[in-house]
């Protein structure tokens, strides 16, 4: 599979905290699917080398409308894969084959791989099955109790966990609100924040508004003295004018860029405080509570049907009265 790499010269040596992050590039044009995927075949998986030890993989919108972004971070001792996307079948989405092919070897074998998840919605873990039988691969379970045990969170959702990949530390911060077991990952090598569905250029689906606000404050506090090169989420759902693509769309013309900035995170608490509980558009994301929206739609539909029924009965009663008087 062809790998598109747009890189400046990179500092390959592992970075200690306090040093400048490695040189890297987001100079990439993501696959945006097609109006007719059957007529315009697309490669199922696109790979961008952000720098020599960090890969961004995108599942084609033609392979699945979620068009997930998946992240591979490579240390000197082991690698970390964040999410496995929305497609299970390797024939349709050769995720495991591709990821294992990107891993360096040590002693004749590829280095160990840890498969983790931003959260346990199926479109972020459907590809787990491809890794189950592979040697030297460990998959973090997706239930909350197992997550707490694996990472050592004693007072969930407080605290910060740390993964040592060998010369590369990844910090993990609990971020419930979109999902009860959501996590964000901060990579000290690149200063990238991997935000899953918590913050992305698209719909921020709110499951628990109070938890979402608390998580935003927690992440901001963690990052207050830390640089952030980019915030990278799990999807792109907006065009360059901030309009959302329709649900299920496999064609994303004029797609906005994937990366958000630290400033987008900093404005999130105020946006959540002002949220009307249903739907609110902001420059780089949309707040939405689909459950409340559905309930409001159901209530409006019920009211409309009631008014129609009342009007029909009233009309028929008046008509009978006119006929009787005639």
């Amino acid at each position: 599979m062809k790998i598109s790499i747009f890189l400046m010269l990179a500092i390959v040596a592992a970075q200690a905290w306090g040093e400048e992050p490695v040189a890297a590039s987001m100079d990439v044009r993501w696959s945006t699917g097609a109006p007719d995927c059957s007529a315009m075949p697309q490669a199922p998986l696109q790979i961008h080398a952000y720098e020599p030890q960090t890969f961004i993989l995108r599942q084609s919108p033609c392979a699945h409308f979620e068009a997930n972004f998946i992240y591979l971070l490579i240390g000197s001792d082991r690698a970390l894969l964040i999410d496995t996307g929305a497609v299970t079948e390797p024939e349709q989405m050769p995720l495991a084959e591709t990821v294992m092919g990107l891993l360096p070897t040590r002693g004749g074998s590829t280095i160990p791989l840890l498969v983790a998840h931003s959260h346990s919605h199926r479109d972020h873990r459907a590809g787990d099955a491809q890794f189950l039988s592979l040697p030297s691969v460990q998959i973090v379970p997706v239930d909350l109790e197992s997550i707490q045990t694996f990472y050592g969170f004693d007072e969930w959702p407080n605290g910060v966990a740390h993964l040592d990949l060998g010369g590369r530390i990844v910090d993990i911060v609990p971020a419930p609100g979109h999902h009860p077991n959501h996590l964000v990952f901060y990579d000290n090598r690149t200063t990238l924040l991997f935000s899953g569905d918590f913050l992305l250029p698209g719909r921020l689906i709110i499951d628990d508004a109070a938890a979402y606000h608390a998580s935003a404050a927690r992440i901001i506090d963690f990052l207050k003295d830390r640089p952030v090169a980019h915030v990278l989420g799990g999807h792109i759902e907006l065009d360059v004018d901030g309009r959302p693509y329709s649900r299920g769309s496999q064609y994303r013309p004029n797609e906005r860029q994937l990366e958000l900035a630290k400033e987008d995170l900093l404005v999130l608490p105020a946006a959540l405080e002002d949220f009307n509980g249903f739907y609110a558009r902001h420059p780089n994301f949309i707040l939405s509570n689909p459950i409340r929206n559905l309930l409001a739609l159901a209530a409006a539909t019920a009211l409309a049907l009631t008014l129609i029924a009342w009007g029909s009965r009233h009309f028929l009663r008046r008509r009978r009265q006119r006929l009787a008087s005639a």
Side-chain angles (χ1 to χ4, degrees):
M1 184 176 297
K2 185 178 180 179
I3 301 176
S4 59
I5 304 177
F6 301 86
L7 293 173
M8 298 171 60
L9 292 177
I11 304 172
V12 181
Q15 302 291 303
W17 173 248
E19 297 180 357
E20 290 296 319
V22 296
S25 172
M26 284 298 294
D27 185 9
V28 56
R29 185 170 184 174
W30 300 113
S31 170
T32 57
D36 183 353
C37 291
S38 61
M40 301 177 65
Q42 308 281 306
L45 196 60
Q46 181 180 1
I47 306 167
H48 172 63
Y50 178 74
E51 56 92 24
Q53 293 174 235
T54 305
F55 294 90
I56 305 173
L57 298 84
R58 196 209 191 159
Q59 297 187 322
S60 169
C62 280
H64 196 286
F65 69 87
E66 294 284 5
N68 291 69
F69 286 89
I70 298 167
Y71 302 99
L72 178 63
L73 315 182
I74 299 173
S76 59
D77 296 331
R78 58 175 173 167
L80 171 67
L81 185 69
I82 303 174
D83 290 338
T84 60
V87 183
T88 299
E89 298 78 7
E91 297 80 10
Q92 300 178 26
M93 181 63 60
L95 178 64
E97 176 185 359
T98 301
V99 169
M100 300 307 289
L102 292 172
L103 298 182
T105 59
R106 185 180 62 188
S109 301
T110 57
I111 64 172
L113 174 68
L114 178 66
V115 177
H117 312 87
S118 60
H119 60 296
S120 60
H121 282 154
R122 180 163 176 77
D123 63 301
H124 291 260
R125 59 180 178 85
D128 284 12
Q130 296 186 28
F131 295 89
L132 288 175
S133 61
L134 299 181
S136 302
V137 175
Q138 182 179 11
I139 302 176
V140 181
V142 296
D143 63 283
L144 182 56
E145 183 177 354
S146 296
I147 289 171
Q148 290 174 282
T149 301
F150 183 87
Y151 294 114
F153 290 115
D154 297 326
E155 298 181 4
W156 179 274
N158 298 312
V160 178
H162 312 282
L163 285 177
D164 187 351
L165 304 181
R168 184 174 195 171
I169 302 296
V170 178
D171 301 311
I172 305 169
V173 184
H178 169 74
H179 189 280
N181 65 15
H182 205 295
L183 302 167
V184 300
F185 298 77
Y186 179 78
D187 176 35
N188 286 271
R189 173 181 170 83
T190 58
T191 71
L192 292 172
L193 182 73
F194 301 99
S195 55
D197 285 1
F198 185 83
L199 181 59
L200 52 79
R203 303 171 185 87
L204 308 187
I205 305 301
I206 298 175
D207 175 71
D208 183 329
Y212 220 121
H213 189 279
S215 294
R218 185 183 309 109
I219 298 167
I220 289 171
D221 182 66
F222 168 76
L223 293 171
K224 62 184 178 182
D225 297 322
R226 292 173 168 84
V228 176
H230 304 292
V231 179
L232 302 181
H235 312 272
I236 301 173
E237 297 178 346
L238 303 179
D239 66 15
V240 292
D241 296 317
R243 294 186 297 260
Y245 298 104
S246 60
R247 180 74 175 171
S249 171
Q250 292 186 297
Y251 182 44
R252 315 284 177 84
N254 302 315
E255 197 175 54
R256 87 172 302 285
Q257 65 186 30
L258 166 65
E259 58 270 29
L260 295 177
K262 187 175 184 178
E263 289 71 23
D264 294 298
L265 176 62
L266 297 179
V267 303
L268 185 56
L272 289 165
E273 289 171 6
D274 294 338
F275 182 47
N276 60 16
F278 296 94
Y279 188 91
R281 286 182 61 171
H282 293 267
N284 291 323
F285 56 81
I286 294 170
L287 300 180
S288 178
N289 188 322
I291 300 301
R292 286 191 176 185
N293 292 336
L294 286 173
L295 290 174
L297 178 61
T301 302
L303 177 60
L305 291 174
T306 300
L307 291 174
I308 291 171
W310 178 86
S312 298
R313 288 196 300 270
H314 182 70
F315 171 77
L316 291 173
R317 185 168 59 249
R318 292 289 298 273
R319 188 165 181 263
R320 285 195 297 268
Q321 289 173 350
R322 286 197 300 270
L323 290 173
S325 62

